């Protein structure tokens, strides 16, 4: 009895269009209780597509089971028809209202005798999944507008294509790495908060990774909507109302002491690995691929440099990464592909070379991913191999030059002797010229 029957019409148009107008009919055993309009913008094949959703709420007059025949709705002069539905109205449920700790009441309490004033059971919220993450640990921030299903006020969004980008620009912090969840239009879904049902209009969602232990401050955001008041003669008058979210402060925690604390990635990760050959031979390259996957800042993952030794030559890896938003998180993987040339026959565990340290925020401990592969190499021992290496540099071996001994610079001696000879020649020519004169 205290929940509305909602009937919605969705209109999609290409390019800029005027806000559509919809006329909803009366439904037996139900009373009209307010209309809401939302607008979302998307792009397809370079074309701008605007989607309008107009919703009319109806309130049941009594309990029971009712057959709602197909109803006709007029949209911009065009008639559309709904399907038949059976609606069961049960006794009123005692829903707990949202506490003041979670939401603020932004409603103007003043009532005017010439208006039927309906309270807007709605709020704008800026929320975070973590208030005290570790430095480098991801936390997701969401900006959304919530309208209770019991809402009876007639409201619609106003210039969201201008308001939302400005709000997002203002709330983004400077001391974080951002991975956007790629919302290009508002995402509409049904949610339950404190046992009360709401429609969520999500405008923005991103996962942030704090770069240091300084506070991350997301300032309060303000969103303007249009609310329609109904005069006693039936005329509807619009007014601008403002909803304001609360400021959100995130306080990152410093990681425990570790020699690599400033370089280590934070998250929950696992390792996948493979090679492109089963049998390896000395002098012939094989490919080793390691993929680090999981929940964390995938883009910043780095692998320590692996040095050549008497067993293998390693060449700098190629890397590629993929990130995808899933269930309010950024999930992804980063793959490193190495070219390796064995130089001795035998059985070798790659864990000696391929290991990666990270910090696990769930266990609050440092952990290590390491290779589990053991490869078998056959063939003769070799000292050098043919490999796709770059041409030698003029600086190769410079670090091995002994600079303690004084070196003889023969080019400088020849240059000095040539200069002395030229001076004597000039003096001789000057003397001869003077004698003749």
């Amino acid at each position: 009895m205290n929940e509305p029957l909602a009937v919605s019409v969705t209109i999609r148009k290409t390019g800029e269009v005027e806000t559509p107008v919809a006329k909803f009919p009366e439904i037996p055993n139900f009373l009209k209780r307010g209309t809401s309009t939302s607008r979302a913008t998307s792009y397809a094949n370079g074309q701008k597509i605007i989607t309008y959703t107009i919703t009319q709420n109806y309130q049941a007059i009594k309990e029971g089971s009712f057959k709602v025949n197909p109803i006709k709705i007029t949209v911009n002069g065009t008639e559309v028809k709904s399907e038949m539905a059976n609606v069961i109205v049960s006794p009123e449920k005692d829903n707990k209202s949202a506490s003041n700790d979670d939401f603020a009441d932004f409603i103007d309490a003043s009532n005017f005798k010439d208006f039927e004033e309906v309270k807007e059971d709605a709020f704008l919220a800026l929320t975070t999944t973590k208030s005290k993450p570790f430095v480098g640990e991801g936390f997701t921030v969401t900006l959304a507008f919530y309208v209770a299903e019991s809402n009876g006020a007639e409201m619609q969004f106003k210039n969201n294509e201008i308001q939302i980008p400005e709000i997002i620009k203002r709330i983004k912090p400077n001391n974080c790495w951002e991975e956007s969840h790629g919302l290009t239009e508002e995402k509409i879904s049904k949610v339950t908060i404190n046992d009360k049902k709401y429609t969520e209009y999500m405008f923005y969602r991103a996962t942030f990774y704090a770069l240091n232990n300084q506070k991350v401050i997301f300032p309060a955001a303000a969103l303007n909507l249009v609310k329609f008041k109904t005069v006693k003669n039936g005329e509807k008058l619009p007014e601008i109302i403002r909803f304001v979210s609360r400021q959100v402060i995130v306080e990152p925690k410093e990681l425990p002491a570790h020699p690599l604390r400033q370089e280590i990635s934070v998250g929950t990760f696992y390792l996948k690995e493979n090679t492109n050959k089963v049998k390896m031979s000395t002098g012939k390259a094989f490919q080793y691929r390691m993929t680090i996957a999981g929940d964390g800042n995938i883009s910043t993952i780095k692998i320590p440099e692996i040095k050549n030794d008497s067993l293998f030559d390693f060449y700098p890896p190629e890397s590629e990464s993929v990130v995808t938003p899933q269930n309010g998180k950024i999930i992804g993987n980063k793959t490193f592909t190495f070219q390796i040339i064995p130089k001795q026959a035998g059985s070798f565990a790659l864990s000696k070379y391929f290991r990666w340290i990270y910090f696990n925020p769930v266990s609050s401990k440092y952990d290590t991913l390491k290779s589990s592969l053991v490869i078998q190499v056959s063939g003769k021992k070799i000292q050098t191999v043919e490999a796709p290496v770059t041409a030698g540099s003029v600086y190769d071996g410079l670090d091995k030059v002994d600079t303690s001994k004084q070196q003889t610079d023969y080019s400088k001696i020849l240059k000095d002797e040539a200069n002395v000879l030229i001076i004597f020649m000039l003096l001789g020519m000057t003397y001869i010229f003077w004698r003749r004169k």
Side-chain angles (χ1 to χ4, degrees):
M1 284 294 293
N2 60 336
E3 296 177 337
L5 168 66
V7 180
S8 298
V9 178
T10 300
I11 304 103
R12 291 183 178 86
K13 294 287 184 179
T14 302
E16 290 294 338
V17 293
E18 294 183 0
T19 303
V21 178
K23 293 182 180 180
F24 293 82
E26 301 290 341
I27 297 179
N29 302 307
F30 292 87
L31 298 175
K32 283 187 177 181
R33 282 291 183 265
T35 306
S36 64
T37 302
S38 68
R39 164 179 162 149
T41 303
S42 61
Y43 292 86
N45 298 325
Q47 287 190 320
K48 184 177 182 180
I49 299 175
I50 299 177
T51 302
Y52 289 94
T53 302
I54 306 174
T55 302
Q56 174 68 61
N57 292 319
Y58 293 88
Q59 193 69 43
I61 298 174
K62 58 184 179 180
E63 300 173 18
S65 179
F66 305 103
K67 179 181 179 181
V68 179
N69 292 319
I71 58 176
K72 296 179 181 179
I73 305 166
T74 303
V75 183
N76 285 355
T78 302
E79 201 172 71
V80 293
K81 197 175 184 180
S82 73
E83 297 179 355
M84 185 187 72
N86 290 316
V87 179
I88 299 174
V89 181
S90 56
E92 183 172 330
K93 182 187 294 185
D94 184 19
N95 283 331
K96 296 178 181 179
S97 60
S99 65
N100 291 330
D101 290 338
D102 295 322
F103 319 119
D105 184 4
F106 305 109
I107 310 306
D108 189 349
S110 59
N111 292 321
F112 299 94
K113 62 181 180 179
D114 292 335
F115 293 92
E116 293 178 16
E117 189 75 10
V118 182
K119 182 178 179 180
E120 309 97 56
D121 195 354
F123 61 93
L124 179 68
L126 185 66
T127 58
T128 178
T129 54
K130 295 182 179 75
S131 59
K132 293 185 178 182
F134 284 99
V135 172
E137 180 184 3
F139 60 94
T140 299
V141 172
T142 302
L143 176 69
F145 187 70
Y146 298 84
V147 181
E149 288 192 353
S150 57
N151 173 63
E154 184 177 350
M155 298 181 295
Q156 70 180 40
F157 294 119
K158 177 180 174 62
N159 297 330
N160 273 8
E161 67 277 13
I162 299 174
Q163 289 195 82
I164 300 303
E166 286 297 323
I167 292 173
I168 294 172
K169 181 179 178 181
R170 182 171 178 269
I171 64 175
K172 284 185 179 181
N174 295 323
N175 57 336
C176 290
W177 178 291
E178 178 194 9
E179 287 286 356
S180 174
H181 286 226
L183 285 182
T184 57
E185 61 179 52
E186 64 191 44
K187 181 180 178 182
I188 304 173
S189 57
K190 301 292 183 181
V191 297
T192 300
I193 303 173
N194 291 345
D195 299 326
K196 193 170 185 177
K197 295 181 179 179
Y198 290 83
T199 299
E200 178 189 63
Y201 298 87
M202 186 188 300
F203 303 125
Y204 172 71
R205 174 171 277 177
T207 297
F208 292 91
Y209 304 88
L211 302 177
N212 50 48
N213 62 352
Q214 302 299 313
K215 287 184 179 180
V216 183
I217 300 175
F218 297 89
L223 182 68
N224 293 330
L225 280 81
V226 177
K227 176 187 172 184
F228 294 92
K229 292 183 177 180
T230 304
V231 184
K232 287 185 176 180
N233 62 11
E235 182 183 0
K236 294 183 179 180
L237 299 180
E239 69 166 342
I240 302 297
I241 57 173
R242 171 171 287 195
F243 293 86
V244 182
S245 69
R246 295 190 176 188
Q247 182 188 65
V248 173
I249 298 178
V250 176
E251 301 180 65
K253 300 180 292 184
E254 193 63 82
L255 297 178
H258 191 281
L260 301 176
R261 182 171 65 181
Q262 302 301 325
E263 305 171 19
I264 274 175
S265 295
V266 180
T268 53
F269 302 101
Y270 61 93
L271 177 66
K272 297 187 293 184
E273 56 181 347
N274 61 66
T275 61
N276 67 335
K277 291 183 180 180
V278 177
K279 296 181 180 180
M280 286 70 170
S281 300
T282 56
K284 294 183 179 180
F286 72 92
Q287 193 177 82
Y288 171 74
R289 182 180 291 108
M290 63 180 300
T291 299
I292 298 171
D295 173 14
N297 194 351
I298 300 294
S299 301
T300 60
I301 290 177
K302 294 180 180 179
I303 294 293
E305 180 183 357
I306 302 175
K307 296 183 178 181
N308 298 340
D309 59 12
S310 60
L311 302 178
F312 297 100
D313 281 341
F314 300 91
Y315 297 95
E318 297 179 354
S319 65
E320 58 179 348
S321 59
V322 177
V323 294
T324 307
Q326 292 181 16
N327 300 322
K329 298 179 180 180
I330 291 291
I331 306 297
N333 62 74
K334 191 165 189 176
T335 300
F336 298 88
T337 304
F338 293 83
Q339 298 293 333
I340 306 173
I341 300 180
K343 297 191 284 188
Q344 289 190 33
S347 177
F348 306 104
L350 294 185
S351 58
K352 175 184 176 182
Y353 305 96
F354 298 101
R355 51 180 59 214
W356 182 71
I357 303 172
Y358 69 100
F359 181 79
N360 188 331
V362 177
S363 62
S364 298
K365 294 181 180 179
Y366 292 94
D367 204 346
T368 303
L369 296 178
K370 54 187 177 180
S371 175
S372 61
L373 293 183
V374 177
I375 62 170
Q376 304 296 327
V377 180
S378 60
K380 295 181 180 180
K381 180 178 178 180
I382 58 175
Q383 297 298 329
T384 58
V385 297
E386 294 183 1
V389 296
T390 57
S393 167
V394 295
Y395 302 107
D396 288 348
L398 191 62
D399 57 329
K400 299 181 177 63
V401 174
D402 185 0
T403 59
S404 62
K405 297 180 180 179
Q406 185 68 33
Q407 301 293 323
T408 303
D409 191 344
Y410 295 101
S411 63
K412 185 176 185 302
I413 294 173
L414 289 173
K415 184 186 292 184
D416 292 341
E417 291 178 348
N419 288 336
V420 171
L421 180 61
I422 291 171
I423 291 172
F424 277 115
M425 290 174 65
L426 288 172
L427 290 173
M429 291 176 65
T430 302
Y431 174 75
I432 293 170
F433 179 75
W434 177 76
R435 289 279 297 175
R436 286 182 177 181
K437 188 176 179 179

